[in-house]
Amino acid sequence: MAVTVSSDLSIRVSEDHVVKKLTDKQEILRESLRKGEPKAMGVSQVMLGFLVITYSIPLLSGQFTEVVRFGVPWWSGISFVIAGAFALVMEKRNSVKLVLMCLAVTVLAAVISVIALIFYIVDIFKNSETDCHLDVEQLCDDLYYADMFNKEMKSFLTCLNVVQTVISSAFSLMLYNERKRFINYTFVN
């Protein structure tokens, strides 16, 4: 707010151009983020996180490999859910600080997703198939089918992690561009 006093001692109060400009920048930030649909990105991250967690439960019934021992599906799924939750919160409350926090969490989720991909791929190739030992009915033993099921579940979880990596990377890039565009206005809320 700008106050001017004229020579006849009349006071005139006008809107400050700097405050108006900063307020306009915040509105531009809101609109530019709405174009990127953080809600859609957040929902997809949360959904993928829960899918990874639920589809990894059958892995507990099979052989305990590195993926299960280190809890890869659970910490990667939880990181996706947290990143999606931040994106959903950012949809409701837009500020540059929240964009920075969401950017950090989304980049972390992308890094965790890449680490999980490495775990899955190494585990799939390291724990190769067991041989089929035919029984009386000319069927393979249960261990063979359990190992095949685990390998297929890990392959499916690998595909979900690839999708999550792409979504997190794209959303991180979008948030980074917005942060770069509005970094001068960090302390205005």
Side-chain angles (χ1 to χ4, degrees):
M1 176 164 50
V3 177
T4 55
V5 179
S6 62
S7 59
D8 64 351
L9 296 177
S10 63
I11 299 173
R12 191 174 66 188
V13 179
S14 62
E15 189 173 336
D16 192 6
H17 297 287
V18 175
V19 172
K20 185 176 183 333
K21 184 176 179 181
L22 291 177
T23 307
D24 290 343
K25 285 290 183 181
Q26 264 193 322
E27 287 302 316
I28 292 171
L29 174 65
R30 282 190 183 99
E31 290 304 314
S32 65
L33 285 176
R34 292 202 195 284
K35 277 194 295 185
E37 297 295 334
K39 186 175 186 179
M41 295 286 198
V43 167
S44 64
Q45 284 180 321
V46 169
M47 266 185 19
L48 280 170
F50 283 129
L51 279 174
V52 167
I53 291 169
T54 55
Y55 281 129
S56 64
I57 292 172
L59 293 177
L60 293 172
S61 65
Q63 183 181 8
F64 273 65
T65 60
E66 286 79 15
V67 168
V68 177
R69 257 186 239 120
F70 291 119
V72 174
W74 297 281
W75 49 258
S76 64
I78 289 171
S79 72
F80 303 159
V81 170
I82 291 171
F86 267 91
L88 291 172
V89 168
M90 193 182 69
E91 173 74 19
K92 298 292 180 192
R93 300 182 188 152
N94 285 327
S95 71
V96 178
K97 288 180 185 179
L98 194 56
V99 169
L100 292 174
M101 287 175 52
C102 188
L103 174 64
V105 172
T106 305
V107 167
L108 182 66
V111 169
I112 287 174
S113 181
V114 169
I115 293 169
L117 278 172
I118 293 169
F119 267 101
Y120 284 126
I121 291 170
V122 167
D123 191 75
I124 287 171
F125 286 113
K126 186 177 175 185
N127 299 311
S128 61
E129 297 176 19
T130 59
D131 293 330
C132 175
H133 300 290
L134 296 175
D135 60 4
V136 180
E137 299 169 354
Q138 296 298 319
L139 296 174
C140 294
D141 59 343
D142 292 338
L143 182 62
Y144 174 77
Y145 292 117
D147 285 346
M148 287 299 296
F149 179 74
N150 276 346
K151 189 172 184 178
E152 296 303 319
M153 286 305 295
K154 290 173 189 169
S155 299
F156 183 69
L157 290 170
T158 302
C159 293
L160 288 178
N161 269 287
V162 168
V163 171
Q164 178 60 30
T165 303
V166 170
I167 289 174
S168 292
S169 300
F171 193 45
S172 296
L173 182 64
M174 185 187 80
L175 290 173
Y176 178 76
N177 288 337
E178 292 304 318
R179 181 207 64 91
K180 196 168 70 172
R181 192 168 154 200
F182 293 101
I183 195 65
N184 297 332
Y185 305 101
T186 301
F187 298 108
V188 176
N189 286 325

